[in-house]
Amino acid sequence: MPDLTPPVFRFAPSPNGHLHLGHAYSALFNQQMCREYDGEFLLRIEDIDRTRCTPELEEEMLEDLRWLGISWQGEPRRQSDHFEDYASALETLREAGLVYPSFMTRGEVKRAISDLRDKGECWPTDPDGSPLYPGDERGWSVDAQQRELQANPKHIWRLNMKAALDHVAGDIAWVETGSGSDGETGDCLADPSAWGDVVLARADTPTSYHLSVVLDDAAQGISHVVRGCDLFHATAVHRVLQILLGLPAPIYHHHDLILREDGRKLSKSAQDTSLRSLRQSGMTPDDIKRMVGFSARFV
Ligand code: GLU
């Protein structure tokens, strides 16, 4: 029997600033691929950061996307409406003994790493260049964790990566139809241990990017995740969480990024490439499409 379910794609921006040319490229690329596959296109608002994401920015983001010619089916899914679901997935992992609370502040982490490096230790960094967490709470007894949780409300829940990988037992892979920054494509073997004990939730936010993205991709029935290649390596973490939580694995397609002239990534704080300011300076959606390398006629 042929599988008649249409492929489902999503664009998942965060309303923590204004969309720039890189988002325009990603949204257009995603929409084009979705049309080629005769799929459904969904929108997700990734607004778990309650201090930086605002309703005004969300409204402006949706308006910029509509102006550009991006259209999606149904109501967008807003992550901040689903904190309870993330908390319950975290509880599942906690019950399985795969997460632990960590208590070191950013300053303490920085000092610990610089002490280790002063002693000549070559402390590893994750694929984004951040040092792995140096704390030792993963080995604490449940009593010690409970005592500290009561005394110290500012804690972070981390995945115990070693325990998680022991639990999964076996290779973790995904199907990549785009490519990573080193040209990795096809069946990609994941290396989640390179990320160490990733953050899954904070005392004030019951989730993190990694945890919510896998739960939402599953909840929205996403079959094809199309996003920038800066998230290629993070897919390793997503695959571990999908396996631990019994979620399906989408196909991934990582695309090139639109970079600044000096080769650095575009940022939401740089006004010159924001869709808003380009629009205010008189540019049309077709101008934006041409600027990011699409023919103006294609959408
Ligand atoms: N919210 C992320 C961003 O704006 C995208 C995450 C994803 O596509 O998985 O960069």
Side-chain angles (χ1 to χ4, degrees):
M1 278 279 278
D3 181 4
L4 298 176
T5 12
V8 185
F9 291 71
R10 50 68 161 184
F11 182 57
S14 297
N16 55 8
H18 287 127
L19 298 182
H20 55 54
L21 287 174
H23 299 105
Y25 176 73
S26 193
L28 290 164
F29 188 102
N30 224 316
Q31 179 161 277
Q32 185 185 42
M33 206 169 148
C34 176
R35 287 186 179 168
E36 277 165 15
Y37 280 69
D38 216 0
E40 281 177 19
F41 195 55
L42 307 182
L43 189 74
R44 182 160 78 233
I45 298 165
E46 300 215 323
D47 63 343
I48 57 170
D49 181 344
R50 304 310 295 142
T51 50
R52 291 171 65 216
C53 297
T54 64
E56 295 73 34
L57 284 169
E58 177 185 314
E59 197 34 61
E60 289 171 1
M61 184 177 88
L62 298 181
E63 197 191 300
D64 287 347
L65 289 172
R66 287 191 204 102
W67 172 78
L68 186 63
I70 303 296
S71 52
W72 53 88
Q73 273 146 300
E75 283 298 306
R77 179 180 171 95
R78 190 180 297 107
Q79 290 192 322
S80 58
D81 292 339
H82 297 278
F83 280 141
E84 279 177 19
D85 301 334
Y86 310 135
S88 111
L90 185 72
E91 185 54 31
T92 305
L93 295 173
R94 196 181 299 138
E95 279 164 10
L98 300 175
V99 294
Y100 66 89
S102 70
F103 302 97
M104 285 173 81
T105 62
R106 260 179 233 270
E108 286 167 345
V109 167
K110 234 170 147 178
R111 272 193 301 281
I113 307 270
S114 91
D115 288 352
L116 286 163
R117 288 186 174 152
D118 286 349
K119 282 187 212 142
E121 261 209 56
C122 174
W123 192 255
T125 51
D126 70 23
D128 281 348
S130 302
L132 301 196
Y133 183 64
D136 63 359
E137 300 95 327
R138 73 183 72 71
W140 289 10
S141 67
V142 174
D143 279 355
Q145 285 182 3
Q146 285 308 328
R147 266 197 309 278
E148 191 62 26
L149 277 173
Q150 265 149 31
N152 187 346
K154 277 217 166 280
H155 56 275
I156 285 177
W157 289 96
R158 291 179 181 273
L159 182 68
N160 182 337
M161 189 60 87
K162 186 174 176 316
L165 295 180
D166 287 348
H167 194 87
V168 170
D171 286 347
I172 301 175
W174 77 89
V175 176
E176 173 68 47
T177 59
S179 64
S181 47
D182 291 326
E184 307 94 323
T185 191
D187 290 326
C188 288
L189 203 57
D191 179 18
S193 58
W195 289 94
D197 293 349
V198 288
V199 174
L200 293 189
R202 296 178 190 276
D204 51 358
T205 314
T207 187
S208 66
Y209 162 62
H210 295 307
L211 182 60
S212 37
V213 81
V214 295
L215 290 165
D216 286 337
D217 283 338
Q220 291 188 288
I222 305 300
S223 59
H224 291 69
V225 171
V226 178
R227 59 187 181 191
C229 67
D230 52 339
L231 290 168
F232 177 85
H233 291 292
T235 311
V237 175
H238 302 166
R239 289 292 299 119
V240 177
L241 292 172
Q242 284 157 354
I243 296 169
L244 295 176
L245 294 166
L247 306 173
I251 290 170
Y252 287 88
H253 188 107
H254 292 92
H255 60 68
D256 287 346
L257 299 181
I258 300 280
L259 299 173
R260 294 183 352 173
E261 267 168 28
D262 60 6
R264 303 219 325 261
K265 271 171 50 173
L266 296 176
S267 94
K268 281 191 172 138
S269 52
Q271 281 304 311
D272 51 340
T273 59
S274 88
L275 297 187
R276 276 232 137 211
S277 57
L278 294 168
R279 180 178 169 184
Q280 275 154 13
S281 72
M283 290 213 175
T284 66
D286 284 353
D287 293 330
I288 303 289
K289 286 172 199 164
R290 271 189 293 266
M291 277 176 86
V292 297
F294 285 101
S295 117
R297 279 181 302 119
F298 96 99
V299 272

